[in-house]
Every structure is written in C-alpha cells, then in structure tokens.
Amino acid sequence: MPSPATLIIGCGYLGHALARKLLEHAAASDTPRPIWATTRSETKARALFELGLRPALLHVTQPLTFASLRPALDHPAPLDVVYLVPPGRPSSRDAAAPTPRQTVVGGIATTLKQLRHAANLRRLVLASSTAVYGHQPCPPNAPLQAESPALADSPRARLLLDGETLWLNANDQPSFANTGAAFHVLRLAGIYGPGRVIGKRAVAEGHPLAGDPDAPLNLIHVDDAADALLAMLDPNRTPAPIELAADGHPIPRRDYYAAVAKHLGVDPPAALPPAAALDLGIDPARLKAASHKHLDPASTRDRLAWQPQHPNALNELPALIQPATP
C-alpha cells in the first residue's frame, strides 16, 4: 500500500528544516514517505533532489507551472500539504514582478483551484505570521494565544489575514469538505536559526535601532517551527483551525540587539527615536515590526503536545554568531 506523502509548496529556509525532519522520521520508521518540494529555481531544485526530495518548479502566480504538481496530486495515498510561500515585498527594479497581493491572495487562490484535482488530501497547513495580531501591549492586554483576535493594523498584516481567510474558507467548500481535507493556519513568530540571526547584519554594520527599544521580540527557532508543523500534520493530533508557534519568551529588543552586538564583538546599537527615523526616510511599516505584544503558545502546546526545544533565543546566540574577525 502506498505511503502517505507530503507536498511542501515554497521550500525555503523553514521548508528545508521541515523536509529534513520528515526524512529523518521516514528513515527511523523504515517507511518511505514521498516528499515533493517546490522552488522557483532550477539550481535550488537540484539541491532539493540531492537532499532526497522530489523537486518541482513552481511559481504560484503562474498557473501553467502547476502542471509540475501532477505527480503529487495524483498520489494514491493521503497527501499532506504545507504552504510556505512568503508574501515578498514590492519591487522597484522589476515592474513585471508579482506584487505581495498577487503572491498572497492570487497565489493561494490559484493553489486552491489546483488542489481540487487531488483525491486524497488530508491536512493542509498555511504558514502565516503573528504580525496579524498587531499592536496589543501586555499589559494591559493579556498575552496573546492562538485564539486571540487578530488586530491587523498594517497593510502587510491585513494582506496576511486576507490570505489566511481565503485558505480557511476552503474548509467550507464542497470540493474539499466532501473529501475530508482539513485546512489549518500556523501563525509563526520571527524565525531564526543557523544562517539566520535577526538583525545580525544591521548590528554588524553599525545601524541604529529604530523604533521602541523596549518593545518585545517574539521569536521561534526554525527547528521548533518545523516541529510545530509536523505536529499539525500528525493524524493522531487535533489542531485548531489556527495555531500559534512562538517560544513563549519575548525579549526586549534592547536586550536582544545588545546580545547580538556582544557576540559579534561590536558596540550595541544606539536607539533611534521614531521621529528621527521618519526624518531619515525609514519606512513607517518597519517600525510596526516592533509592535508591543506578548505571544503565549500555551494552548497550541496543549493541543499538539508540542514543546519548543529552544525556549530562549538569547541562549542560542553564542552558537549561531561567529565573532567578527579583527
């Protein structure tokens, strides 16, 4: 009997971590598990193949490229889908490049249309961002859990929320509901890990710290994010429509960036008042990234029996940062 399979749409940084864990689980159980992974680059496709995956070239904003998913959609056993396509940012250099709305809303709509051709869909998880919770300081607000209402107070957050709504609405479409397919969203805090330390380059180059230095950073290690995705795909667990993955240990931005500077061997960044940042032409949307909120993944931990193995990013920085060479 064919084994269940996984399709990772948009196999980038987090997708690679998820794929490695899927491969490890399959090897440990001695059960082959086909894993399809999409990318837009032929070079990256070759790297995915060397990792042991089945690569497919796909641009979610180009419907004709979905023909590459035919082998995955025709798989005769249960197929789980993880959608990890980032929204991207507007391009001033390439007028033909998709806009973030075309990527998020258009890409999800096109993907859902194509997924209707699959007969054995099981769990389908969209990776989103905790940015959709907006600015909800704690106190006076309680820490935010998966069930907390979204307060999308920036264009990017509203766009992400539109994508979530489109994805979750598929649960009510007969073409999916009649097959038993279940659509879920995992809202992720800021992802860091090997090769990705948030703010490292800016600190190394001596840039000031824009926004409120006391605003908390909510983070999650890439391996913990991948484990949360695995838990959501586990048929023995029952995720809610929306789940939240964060390490549960928000760090004041001032402390985080001072720690990055310490491990780089440079001076900590000076705080730049918001008004001064605006005078320098810094996009106000960047300051929104420092919105006050405290993320608590407790309810998700309980439902998924998932526990972050890297609960404090400050403890991980020494192994992730190489000091600057004099």
Side-chain angles (χ1 to χ4, degrees):
M1 179 177 178
S3 300
T6 307
L7 168 61
I8 302 172
I9 300 178
C11 192
Y13 186 65
L14 176 55
H16 274 77
L18 173 61
R20 286 192 294 268
K21 288 179 178 290
L22 286 167
L23 290 169
E24 290 169 2
H25 287 193
S29 63
D30 199 27
T31 303
R33 184 185 180 103
I35 305 169
W36 281 274
T38 80
T39 179
R40 296 179 300 172
S41 161
E42 291 187 6
T43 300
K44 291 180 179 178
R46 287 192 291 270
L48 295 175
F49 177 78
E50 292 171 359
L51 187 64
L53 309 179
R54 303 183 182 190
L57 292 173
L58 175 71
H59 294 246
V60 295
T61 58
Q62 298 177 15
L64 292 179
T65 66
F66 278 83
S68 67
L69 298 188
R70 193 74 264 165
L73 301 185
D74 287 341
H75 186 66
L79 175 67
D80 296 320
V81 179
V82 183
Y83 191 94
L84 303 178
V85 179
R89 297 190 182 280
S91 174
S92 58
R93 293 178 294 179
D94 184 0
T99 65
R101 176 156 292 276
Q102 288 171 330
T103 299
V104 174
V105 176
I108 289 175
T110 302
T111 299
L112 292 175
K113 183 177 180 179
Q114 298 297 323
L115 289 176
R116 293 191 183 99
H117 300 299
N120 297 301
L121 294 175
R122 185 167 61 181
R123 294 267 174 90
L124 302 98
V125 181
L126 168 73
S128 185
S129 169
T130 55
V132 300
Y133 291 112
H135 182 76
Q136 301 192 52
C138 173
N141 297 286
L144 301 171
Q145 297 193 0
E147 302 79 11
S148 300
L151 184 62
D153 52 8
S154 71
R156 188 176 178 86
R158 287 191 289 271
L159 177 58
L160 291 169
L161 195 58
D162 287 346
E164 288 186 9
T165 301
L166 188 59
W167 187 263
L168 292 174
N169 283 348
N171 283 311
D172 299 322
Q173 296 177 11
S175 55
F176 292 120
N178 294 338
T179 65
F183 289 78
H184 301 267
V185 167
L186 179 62
R187 292 172 175 168
L188 292 160
I191 298 175
Y192 73 97
R196 180 182 288 189
V197 175
I198 293 172
K200 178 182 175 182
R201 176 179 293 183
V203 172
E205 294 177 352
H207 295 294
L209 179 59
D212 185 351
D214 295 315
L217 272 178
N218 293 273
L219 302 171
I220 185 166
H221 192 283
V222 65
D223 286 340
D224 290 331
D227 283 337
L229 287 169
L230 282 176
M232 292 191 75
L233 297 179
D234 188 337
N236 297 314
R237 306 184 194 186
T238 308
I242 296 174
E243 295 289 7
L244 163 65
D247 62 20
H249 191 97
I251 303 168
R253 295 174 74 238
R254 185 196 310 274
D255 295 349
Y256 173 83
Y257 286 103
V260 172
K262 174 185 175 182
H263 296 301
L264 284 172
V266 300
D267 292 333
L272 185 67
L278 294 174
D279 289 342
L280 292 174
I282 296 177
D283 186 349
R286 285 184 57 194
L287 302 182
K288 283 291 186 180
S291 295
H292 284 262
K293 54 179 171 284
H294 182 128
L295 301 177
D296 178 7
S299 60
T300 292
R301 286 200 311 260
D302 293 343
R303 277 188 293 270
L304 300 182
W306 162 78
Q307 181 71 34
Q309 300 303 303
H310 307 271
N312 188 334
L314 293 182
N315 296 336
E316 307 298 326
L317 290 178
L320 296 175
I321 295 178
Q322 297 297 321
T325 302

